[in-house]
Amino acid sequence: MTTKKYGAQQFASTAAAGLSLAGAGLMLATQQRRSKALRMQEKRLEQERQAQRRVALAHQQRMHWELLIKAIDDPSLAAVIDTYDKDIPAEKRRQFLYANAWYVNAFHLHRAGLVDVEELFGHLRELFQNPVMREYWNASQAQRDTLKHSSDEARIGRIVNGLIQDLEEADTEEWWVVGEPPTP
């Protein structure tokens, strides 16, 4: 009789352990589902933040363009943002404001994630093959000197500096092959 009682207890103990393991398995599966759901929610939130950032960058770029257009059209308004050497003729300063608009457009395309650094380099190579763009770049050096060295704009500025040097040293008229795009 004792043996039968012991066998029943062992069975009950084994059954309880099995149920306990099954319960632990269910808990683990539930935790994994919750964890996956949280990761997906975090990913959605990050995507929403990125989309909001792109919208804000697009709005800022539109504002920049509208302000520059006013400055280009009205020399009295241009005086507010004109930090170029006063010996530069007014017409050339207006060209520099326009050149700035093109540069900032390319910069914001990259910053918004619409073009990668290699594509940006191609845009910049096209822009800076133009002598007026290079004059603008030289005239605006003091403005770039105030940038934080680690900022995106300072990093892109260094890329442009290298590109301009490559364009000026190139032995070819084929500007579209000059320079090496930076590695991402």
Side-chain angles (χ1 to χ4, degrees):
M1 199 67 121
T2 309
T3 309
K4 285 185 179 182
K5 189 175 181 185
Y6 178 72
Q9 286 176 344
Q10 187 177 17
F11 175 75
S13 175
T14 303
L19 287 175
S20 179
L21 283 174
L26 285 174
M27 264 181 45
L28 180 61
T30 301
Q31 286 176 340
Q32 288 175 339
R33 280 193 299 275
R34 286 182 185 159
S35 180
K36 183 177 180 179
L38 285 172
R39 283 192 306 274
M40 291 186 68
Q41 183 179 7
E42 286 175 5
K43 186 177 179 178
R44 275 193 306 275
L45 289 173
E46 180 58 31
Q47 288 172 340
E48 288 174 15
R49 280 191 290 270
Q50 289 175 359
Q52 289 171 346
R53 185 172 188 266
R54 280 192 294 275
V55 168
L57 285 170
H59 175 72
Q60 190 280 332
Q61 186 176 4
R62 272 191 306 280
M63 289 298 298
H64 181 260
W65 176 248
E66 288 174 20
L67 291 168
L68 274 178
I69 287 295
K70 289 179 182 201
I72 290 168
D73 290 344
D74 185 342
S76 68
L77 296 178
V80 172
I81 61 169
D82 188 352
T83 58
Y84 301 109
D85 185 340
K86 297 304 174 199
D87 293 336
I88 297 173
E91 187 64 24
K92 181 64 73 174
R93 288 197 308 268
R94 288 180 70 202
Q95 287 178 332
F96 288 174
L97 292 174
Y98 190 66
N100 175 262
W102 276 100
Y103 169 72
V104 169
N105 180 61
F107 174 75
H108 281 296
L109 282 172
H110 175 65
R111 194 174 204 188
L114 300 174
V115 298
D116 63 20
V117 72
E118 189 173 337
E119 292 170 307
L120 173 65
F121 187 81
H123 288 297
L124 295 172
R125 181 169 39 203
E126 181 179 355
L127 287 173
F128 285 97
Q129 63 84 27
N130 182 294
V132 176
M133 284 298 291
R134 290 197 299 265
E135 284 180 72
Y136 147 73
W137 195 254
N138 290 331
S140 61
Q141 181 62 49
Q143 296 162 331
R144 285 188 309 285
D145 288 343
T146 65
L147 297 173
K148 184 177 177 182
H149 183 76
S150 61
S151 71
D152 286 342
E153 195 168 356
R155 182 177 55 85
I156 300 303
R158 290 188 296 276
I159 291 171
V160 172
N161 289 340
L163 175 59
I164 289 173
Q165 183 176 352
D166 290 346
L167 286 167
E168 290 175 353
E169 293 173 356
D171 289 340
T172 181
E173 294 296 315
E174 297 173 343
W175 56 265
W176 55 92
V177 297
V178 173
E180 286 295 317
T183 54

